[in-house]
Amino acid sequence: PWIASVTASFSSSSVPTTKLFIDGKFIESKTTEWIDIHNPATNEVVGRVPKATASEMEAAVASCKKAFWNWSETSVLSRQQIFLRYRQLIKENLKELSKLITYEQGKTLADAEGDVFRGLQVVEHACSVTSLILGETMPSITKDMDTHTYRLPLGVCAGIAPFNFPAMIPLWMFPMAMVCGNTFLMKPSERVPGALMFLAKLFQDAGAPDGTLNIIHGQHEAVNFICDHPDIKAISFVGSNQAGEYIYERGSRNGKRVQANMGAKNHGVVMPDANKENTLNQLVGAAFGAAGQRCMALSTAILVGEAQRWLPELVDRAKNLRVNAGDQPGADLGPLISPQAKERVCGLIEKGVKEGASLLLDGRNVKVKGYEKGNFVGPTILAKVKPNMTCYKEEIFGPVLVVLEADTLDEAIEMVNNNPYGNGTAIFTTNGATARKYSHLVDVGQVGVNVPIPVPLPMFSFTGSRASFRGDANFYGKQGVQFYTQLKTIISQWKEEDATISKPAVVMPT
Ligand code: NAD
C-alpha cells in the first residue's frame, strides 16, 4: 500500500512510477525520460523515476519560494509541534520505511532500521530548535544602547542525496533547515527515491503546509538546476567527490552556501595491546556491514607490530558472515547497489592482486541461492597492501578490507595523515596515552577510540574533514543551525525623553 499511495502508480507500462512532490501534491511527471530503479538482490526493475522537466523543477522552486514567507513567519513553537508529530509518525512507520529501503537499496532489514533510526534522531534534535536558534544579547553596550542578534532562515534551501542512506541522509537535511524556517527542495538519489517519498507523505500528515517541502527527481540536469537557480540560497550535498566538488564549485560560484560531505577511506589502527576479541569483531562488522557501502565503513586496517599476527583470525571471522538478500533472515550483508558497482569493486580487487597485494579472502564468486542475478560480493580481504596501490588510493565502497602494516604508532599516524580523505578513523587500544596521542595527532574529522564507526549523535555535528568535506559549517548539531541561518544584529537606543542629541556626530563613535 505504501508504494501505491506514495511512491508510485501503475502507468501503462505497469512499472510503478515515482511521483514528484510539488506544492503539497504527489504528481506524475510529464517527462519522456525515465530511469529504472532495480532491486539490487534480483536486478528486477521495481520502479521508474522521472527526470523532471525544466518547468516541473521551476514549479517546485516557485512553490518553495511562495511558501517561505508564511513558514518563516510561523511561530517557532508551531514549527516545533509539526516536527514533534513527524517524529512520532516516523517511529510508527519505521518498519515499513525499512522494508522500502531494503527493496530499493539492498541493505539488510536490521541495517535499514538503523538507517531510519539515525535519521529519526536528527528529527528529534530538530525539535530542540527553541534552544538551538536563540540569538545573543548584550545590554548597555554604551549609554542607553543595547544589542541583540536573531538567527533567521535563508529562504529556499536544497538537498542532493546519495543512494547509501535513503532515509538518514535526507533527514540530515530538510528537518534542520525547515525547523529553522527555511523551505526545502530535495533531490534524492535516482536509485532509491522511495524512502524519501514516504517520508514526505508522513511530513505532510504531520501538518507541514503545502509547498514547504518539494521533491524533484533526476540526475545532472536537476543538479545543475539547483546549483544555478537564483532563488536557492544554500545546498546540502552528500555523495561522491566527483559530484560533490563539482556542486561545491558551481553552487559557490553562484553565490550559494554549500556544504558537501564526500568520499572516504577510513583507517582502523589496531595496536597490539588492544582487546583482541572485541577489536576483531568490531573491525569485521565495520568493514563489511552494509556491504561496505557506508561513508564511515572501516575499509582500511593498519595492524601495528604484533597485531599483524591476528590476520588469520580476522579472515576467519569475515568468512563466517552470511551474504544474502537483505530481507532474508540471518543476512549479515546484502548486495551492492548495481551491476556497475559490482564490476568496479571486482576490478579494484583484481588490480590489488596485480599490484602485489595478497588476496586472503575472495568474495567475488559468491553465490546466493535464489538470488543468482543479484549484485553480490562477499567479504574480501586484501593484505600486504601498500599506500601506492590503487586499492588503497581509491574509495572501494564495497565489502573489501585492505590491510596495511606498521611497526609503530607513529608510522600508522603518518599513513593516515598522508591519505587525502579525512572522514573517520578508529584506534583500538587499551592504553589511554596511545589513544590520546592518536586522537590528537591524526588529521581526521571523526575519531573513534575502541569505537569502529564514530558517527556523532545529532547534538554534535558530522565533522568529516580534508577531501571528505567542503564548506564551512557541517551537517546537523549547532553547525547545522549555523548553516541554515543567517544572523541579523539589532542595535537600539532608547533615551529618556529629556536626553537630547545636541549635534550631529560626524566621527566614528568610540
Ligand atoms: P553520487 O555522487 O554518485 O550521487 C550523489 C548525488 O549526486 C545523487 O543525487 C546523484 O544524482 C548526483 N550526482 C551523481 N553524479 C553526479 C555528477 N557527476 N554531477 C552532478 N550530480 C551527480 O554518490 P553515491 O554513489 O550515490 O553515494 C556514494 C558516495 O557518497 C560515496 O563516495 C560515499 O563515501 C559518499 N557518502 C558520503 C557521506 C558523508 O557523510 N561523507 C555519507 C554517505 C555517502
Side-chain angles (χ1 to χ4, degrees), residues 225-242:
F225 173 85
I226 289 171
C227 291
D228 295 346
H229 202 291
D231 289 334
I232 294 174
K233 304 297 176 204
I235 304 174
S236 298
F237 169 83
V238 179
S240 66
N241 280 66
Q242 195 194 4

Side-chain angles (χ1 to χ4, degrees), residues 190-255:
E190 63 278 16
R191 296 185 269 195
V192 293
L196 176 64
M197 300 313 292
F198 195 170
L199 285 166
K201 177 74 173 75
L202 296 179
F203 193 42
Q204 189 175 48
D205 293 348
D210 291 351
T212 51
L213 174 69
N214 284 272
I215 300 174
I216 58 169
H217 300 290
Q219 292 169 312
H220 298 67
E221 296 83 357
V223 166
N224 287 342
F225 173 85
I226 289 171
C227 291
D228 295 346
H229 202 291
D231 289 334
I232 294 174
K233 304 297 176 204
I235 304 174
S236 298
F237 169 83
V238 179
S240 66
N241 280 66
Q242 195 194 4
E245 284 166 22
Y246 171 79
I247 290 167
Y248 183 83
E249 272 153 38
R250 190 161 175 156
S252 306
R253 212 180 319 127
N254 285 321

Side-chain angles (χ1 to χ4, degrees), residues 29 47 138 140 213 227 350 367 388 400 421 473:
S29 173
M138 187 176 279
S140 304
L213 174 69
C227 291
E350 186 61 34
K367 298 270 177 291
N388 62 353
V400 182
Y421 293 107

Side-chain angles (χ1 to χ4, degrees), residues 412-484:
I413 292 173
E414 199 180 324
M415 276 183 198
V416 176
N417 287 347
N418 281 338
N419 190 285
Y421 293 107
N423 212 37
T425 185
I427 184 160
F428 300 93
T429 181
T430 48
N431 183 319
T434 301
R436 186 173 187 283
K437 180 175 181 183
Y438 187 75
S439 316
H440 277 250
L441 294 185
V442 88
D443 187 8
V444 175
Q446 306 174 113
V447 184
V449 175
N450 300 319
V451 174
I453 305 189
V455 175
L457 284 174
M459 58 293 272
F460 298 92
S461 299
F462 190 101
T463 48
S465 68
R466 293 194 283 150
S468 300
F469 178 70
R470 286 239 193 149
D472 302 299
N474 293 109
F475 280 80
Y476 61 78
K478 288 197 188 81
Q479 296 256 310
V481 174
Q482 203 172 312
F483 182 74
Y484 293 124

